[in-house]
Amino acid sequence: MLRGHRRAARLTLEQLAEASGVSARALSDMERGRSRGPQHRTVTALADALRLDDTARGQLVDLAREGRLRDHWTRPSGLCELPRSVDDFTGRVAELAWTDELVRADSLPGAAGVALVSGAAGLGKTTLAVRAAHAVRAHFTDGVFFLDLLGMSQHPVAVDDALRLLLGALGILDQQLPGDTPGRASLYRSLLRDRRALVVLDNAASEEQVRPLLPGGGAGSRALVTSRRLLPGLEGVRRLGLGPLPVLEATGLLTGILGERSAADGEPALTQLAQLCGGLPLALRIVGNRLVSRPGWSAAELAARMTDEERRLSQLKAGDLEIATAFGMSYDQLPDTARRVFRRLALVPGPDFDAALAAVLGDTSIEDAWGALDELVDLGLLQDGPSGRSRFHDLVRLFARDRLHREDTEADRGAATDRMMSWLLRTATTAGRWFESSHGRPDRPAAGLPGLSSVEEAGRWLQADADNWLEALRHAAGSGQHETVLDCAESLRWFGGWWNAWPHWQEVFSLGAQAAARGDRAYQAAQLTYLARVFHAVPPADPEVTMRYAAEVLRAAVDTGVPEQIAWGHRYVGGALLRLGRLDEAVASVAEAARMFKSDGDVDAYCQCLGTIGECLRSAGHHAEALERYREMWELAADGGSGMTPSIAAVTRPNALAAGGVCLRLLGRPDEAIATFTEAIGLFEQLPMSGSQARCLEALAATLAQQGRADESRQVYTRATETFEAVGDTAAALRCRDLAAPTP
């Protein structure tokens, strides 16, 4: 009607606005039906400007009054209503306690009172937020409001639209809304300032989307935000990173979904399903819903199907719930480089990786790889670990593998795999050579390899990427790259002594020996030497196998006439004889090895022989003579000019002290023994954790107990227990745990 009168008067919007004093924007809203109940004074001003007669004026006034009445009775009181909470919600006790703090103003940093729950797809962030909001609803007397910001969709909710919805829920009509975003945000904050309301902002896309929707400085209102992203730019926010459910809680959730039928399925099958779902509540709900909707299925049968990794993702679909879809929404947010890196990281054989390996797989720069990893962690597609390393959740890895096969050609996958395996082996070989006296620090790192700058850095890399480079070694052996395998195994011989707790040295040097068998007999003897060392030095020692390999070393060394390998053969024959209790023969064999090593100027190997001779003498009861051998070891290792390789000297020093401490205790000199053990432990702590360190701790604890220092002894036994557990010696850990327990 207004448009008709304006056109009859031959006026534009701007002309009518000027004549009536009503803004052109308000006039436009009325003519387009967005404002159907303008105030009486507004209608009167328009009627005057249009020079309407009494009949037309009355009709316009009546229509406006009807519009105001309609707005009053149909005000959208149901906007932003909190969804229902699921009845079978299970676990998350600590997380619910954390969100419960929203009702206590004094416990929250900052005046805004904002809590952020972040985490990957499928972790149940929304379910937790809704459950928490229902739990505290009684404390928020002015309402609890919920808004899905559609952060993972292609079109997240615009800030203007979000403010319109929230203001509508707070009772503000469309025609009362300010026209710009800052005005709406200001009105929103002013309304919440004097109210006690909770606003749940679910599935946030970014800081820019969330920031205008947060309450201001009032004491009563709070906001609970969920997002797959970390939203690091939000200030003054309490943060909760949501992780997978523990197995017990995951099994409990599955049991709750299944209800009465869970007893028939049995706890073992449900526990296996919970493990296969990786503790993701979405995956557990899908599995539970599938079983509930198919009474003829059993949990054990479904678990058997899900055990096949190639089929697992396809089993995690029930109606409109699908785990791959949830992951896919995050994947779709990524730029192309991050997508490529994500897919190809599925090729990594080990459990984790760093940016350098990601750059190799993604065929990109290290800077771009760091950026891609940050994006992936931010979206929850990767889990952030220590020392800059990242890892997949098991189901996300399967999703990445599926995307890899869908989006990368077979040729691309093969090229990425070959590039990764080659890089891993070349890096492992370079890192291993840091521990050899004949190599040491390279003049410059090879192109494309990480710039390792010290023995410590090289050791850290070899340990962190052990699962990855071991698989690369297997791959090279299987594809006939014998020289590469031999080169890598040979370079790792001294590092193997530095980190002897690793359980895979037997395989490394077996692959090296197999590769050497196709070529030089002298190289084969060297690899057999390293195998003999593994069976001699790495628990549980096997003297029979050590003797067999040492005998093979001697035969091969005699055939090739290599004195060094003959010496090593004698050394490990002696070590095996020591374990077999044939002490005189052991001393003779190792002494011959020591003579040959000393003549050749190999101080590293000579020191090892001194240690074995000392052990033979100690076992024979010649404690003072054994102590002299250990002191000679210590002096050589402590003398920077002795010619010992620094990394080997670093391992030799604490071992010599520990062995010397045992001799001092046996000689009845406990105070000296305690001081020596303590010094050794300080040096061991600078090296990777090892069985030698644990045994030194145990010896110190026993000596303290003998001296009546019971409390100190129990503390050290506790440390020994932890160290034995860390290196996988369960029997020794149990023994020390019993000794650490207080005496009744």
Side-chain angles (χ1 to χ4, degrees), residues 65-401:
R65 184 172 61 252
E66 289 172 11
R68 289 195 298 275
L69 287 172
R70 185 165 55 250
D71 279 342
H72 175 76
W73 291 112
T74 62
R75 182 171 293 175
S77 58
L79 284 178
C80 301
E81 181 63 22
L82 186 66
R84 71 179 183 89
S85 178
V86 295
D87 295 333
D88 49 26
F89 186 93
T90 303
R92 301 294 194 198
V93 175
E95 291 85 350
L96 285 171
W98 183 88
T99 56
D100 188 56
E101 292 181 7
L102 279 169
V103 303
R104 293 194 290 275
D106 292 342
S107 68
L108 296 168
V114 179
L116 170 65
V117 179
S118 60
L123 285 172
K125 299 179 294 297
T126 300
T127 303
L128 173 67
V130 169
R131 183 75 168 194
H134 277 286
V136 300
R137 191 165 197 161
H139 296 276
F140 293 100
T141 52
D142 291 310
V144 174
F145 306 101
F146 179 92
L147 183 59
D148 184 355
L149 296 174
L150 303 178
M152 288 298 105
S153 74
Q154 294 298 315
H155 303 287
V157 175
V159 173
D160 261 3
D161 291 335
L163 285 167
R164 178 176 57 80
L165 290 167
L166 289 168
L167 286 168
L170 291 167
I172 302 301
L173 304 177
D174 278 356
Q175 60 267 31
Q176 297 173 309
L177 291 175
D180 59 353
T181 300
R184 292 184 181 189
S186 178
L187 175 60
Y188 171 72
R189 288 192 299 272
S190 70
L191 291 172
L192 290 180
R193 183 179 300 116
D194 299 321
R195 304 189 189 196
R196 190 164 182 80
L198 172 63
V199 181
V200 180
L201 301 169
D202 187 45
N203 195 11
S206 65
E207 294 92 337
E208 292 79 5
Q209 184 192 40
V210 168
R211 198 172 279 115
L213 310 180
L214 301 179
S221 292
R222 301 283 178 263
L224 177 57
V225 184
T226 76
S227 178
R228 293 191 192 181
R229 294 188 178 277
L230 298 175
L231 305 185
L234 290 182
E235 309 87 354
V237 175
R238 296 173 62 247
R239 297 175 180 275
L240 173 65
L242 207 58
L245 290 171
V247 173
L248 190 61
E249 288 189 12
T251 306
L253 174 56
L254 195 53
T255 301
I257 296 169
L258 294 177
E260 295 179 356
R261 67 158 287 174
S262 62
D265 285 310
E267 187 174 342
L270 297 183
T271 299
Q272 185 183 6
L273 280 174
Q275 292 170 330
L276 290 168
C277 289
L280 287 188
L282 176 59
L284 292 162
R285 187 157 299 282
I286 289 170
V287 165
N289 289 357
R290 292 195 77 189
L291 289 172
V292 168
S293 62
R294 293 169 174 82
W297 285 17
S298 73
E301 290 170 344
L302 182 55
R305 286 197 291 274
M306 288 180 60
T307 301
D308 180 358
E309 287 190 348
E310 300 301 323
R311 301 174 59 191
R312 192 175 304 166
L313 283 181
S314 65
Q315 298 296 321
L316 291 173
K317 180 178 181 180
D320 61 351
L321 296 178
E322 185 174 4
I323 197 75
T325 300
F327 295 153
M329 292 178 72
S330 295
Y331 179 77
D332 289 343
Q333 302 289 313
L334 298 169
D336 289 343
T337 298
R339 290 188 192 189
R340 183 173 67 253
V341 169
F342 172 74
R343 297 192 303 269
R344 294 182 181 176
L345 283 171
L347 295 168
V348 176
D352 58 13
F353 37 80
D354 60 10
L357 186 51
V360 171
L361 280 166
D363 200 14
T364 188
S365 68
I366 188 73
E367 292 79 11
D368 286 345
W370 271 117
L373 292 180
D374 284 343
E375 283 274 353
L376 293 166
V377 169
D378 190 41
L379 275 167
L381 288 170
L382 288 180
Q383 299 168 5
D384 215 355
S387 304
R389 299 184 71 81
S390 304
R391 63 173 58 229
F392 281 111
H393 183 281
D394 288 346
L395 294 180
V396 179
R397 181 190 288 272
L398 295 179
F399 172 76
R401 185 187 301 171

Side-chain angles (χ1 to χ4, degrees), residues 481-497:
Q481 301 174 50
H482 306 303
E483 289 187 13
T484 301
V485 171
L486 181 57
D487 196 27
C488 184
E490 180 70 22
S491 76
L492 293 166
R493 57 177 180 151
W494 286 112
F495 177 69

